[in-house]
């Protein structure tokens, strides 16, 4: 069954495709505590995404994104939001820990839905200066 207009099937999304995102160990294996400030930063980011997934553009903090590159810009925004929360917690995670936090956050269904919603489903017409990805 084809996906509705403007959305791609869940298994084709970048964050859910194992070809693009390597599997990372679970937080318990990396030594993170169940109630650590890093886990609270991830859960707060997920809650924020759940609040704005209905209409991200209506959120005053959500930036204006180029809809032809909307998924990538949305993922960058969510990563920046997470990084700000991690920095404000005073923690200094290792590269592996931060990679795991980003992986867990970007694979949240609300973040995926928000990225799909912000991505335009049409390509540019023939223009004099097309975006680099075309």
């Amino acid at each position: 069954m084809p996906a509705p207009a403007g959305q791609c099937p869940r298994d084709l999304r970048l964050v859910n495709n194992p070809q693009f995102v390597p599997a990372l160990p679970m937080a318990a294996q990396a030594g993170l505590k169940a109630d650590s400030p890093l886990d609270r930063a991830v859960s707060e980011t997920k809650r924020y995404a759940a609040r704005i997934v209905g209409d991200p553009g209506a959120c005053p903090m959500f930036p204006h994104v180029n809809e032809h590159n909307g998924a990538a810009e949305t993922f960058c925004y969510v990563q920046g939001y997470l990084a700000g929360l991690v920095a404000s917690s005073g923690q200094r995670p290792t590269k592996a820990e931060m990679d795991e936090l980003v992986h867990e956050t970007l694979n949240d269904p609300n973040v995926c839905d928000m990225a799909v919603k912000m991505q335009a489903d049409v390509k540019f017409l023939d223009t004099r200066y097309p975006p680099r990805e075309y």
Side-chain angles (χ1 to χ4, degrees), residues 62-63 69-83 106 111 115:
F62 194 82
N69 195 25
E73 290 185 25
T74 301
F75 288 136
C76 287
Y77 171 73
V78 172
Q79 283 181 296
Y81 188 88
L82 174 65
L106 294 186
V111 174

Side-chain angles (χ1 to χ4, degrees), residues 52-65 67 114 117-118:
I52 69 170
V53 70
D55 188 11
C59 176
M61 292 189 325
F62 194 82
H64 174 74
V65 297
E67 292 177 355
M114 188 169 43
K117 185 175 283 192
M118 297 308 295

